[in-house]
Each structure stands twice: as C-alpha cells, then as structure tokens.
Amino acid sequence: QALRVDPNNAAAHMGLAIGYGRKGNWDQAEAELRTILRLTPDGAQAHDAMATVLDHKDDRDGAIREFRRASELDPHSLQYRKDLEDVLKPWGK
C-alpha cells in the first residue's frame, strides 16, 4: 500500500525484498534491491542486502563487490566487514 502512495519509497521496497528473500525468491528480491539502489545508491544496507541475495544466487564476484561497497559506505559497521570476510573465506580472496 505504501508503494501506491509513493512508488519511490525505498523502505517499502526493502520490506518487499526481505519478504521475497525469506521465501527464497531471489530474483524478485534482487529486482526490489536494484530499485532501492537506483533510489539510494549510497545506501550501505541495500548494498549489503544485495550482496546476500547475489551470494544465494551463487554470484560470488557480485556478492564480494556489493559487500565491499557496503563496507566502504559504512566503514564503522562491524556487520558489513564480517559479511565481507565470511564471503571471502571459502574463496581465499
């Protein structure tokens, strides 16, 4: 309903992305996150969420790129650094 009022509501799109991700619908989650990133390209949380989706879709390079971007945007976030470290471990990058 929030998107009917404001189709550019990034928080509403994030809610949809999370819902799709919980259901394992990674393509729809990715589409919502791409919308969010278009609306708020410097949103660290959206980059971190996109990385998680890409990781689930076995796009490790994309996930690494997005986790790095989230860490760059919010260098004080321990969670974003941990997420990046976790995705790098299996690949030794």
Side-chain angles (χ1 to χ4, degrees):
Q1 193 172 27
L3 290 176
R4 282 188 220 126
V5 174
D6 179 8
N8 293 323
N9 183 326
H13 283 286
M14 182 61 84
L16 287 174
I18 291 168
Y20 288 130
R22 286 185 179 156
K23 293 177 183 177
N25 189 335
W26 304 117
D27 291 334
Q28 284 298 108
E30 181 180 1
E32 291 298 330
L33 288 163
R34 291 206 184 282
T35 299
I36 296 165
L37 290 171
R38 181 180 49 79
L39 297 169
T40 57
D42 292 335
Q45 182 184 18
H47 283 282
D48 189 70
M50 177 63 85
T52 299
V53 167
L54 294 175
D55 190 32
H56 280 284
K57 292 179 72 173
D58 293 325
D59 179 356
R60 298 283 190 213
D61 290 337
I64 290 167
R65 183 177 56 252
E66 291 295 330
F67 279 135
R68 282 188 174 141
R69 184 68 180 134
S71 294
E72 290 167 2
L73 290 167
D74 188 355
H76 301 292
S77 172
L78 296 177
Q79 183 63 51
Y80 299 156
R81 281 191 276 168
K82 181 187 177 308
D83 291 344
L84 176 59
E85 288 173 9
D86 287 347
V87 81
L88 291 173
K89 283 180 188 175
W91 297 92
K93 293 184 180 179

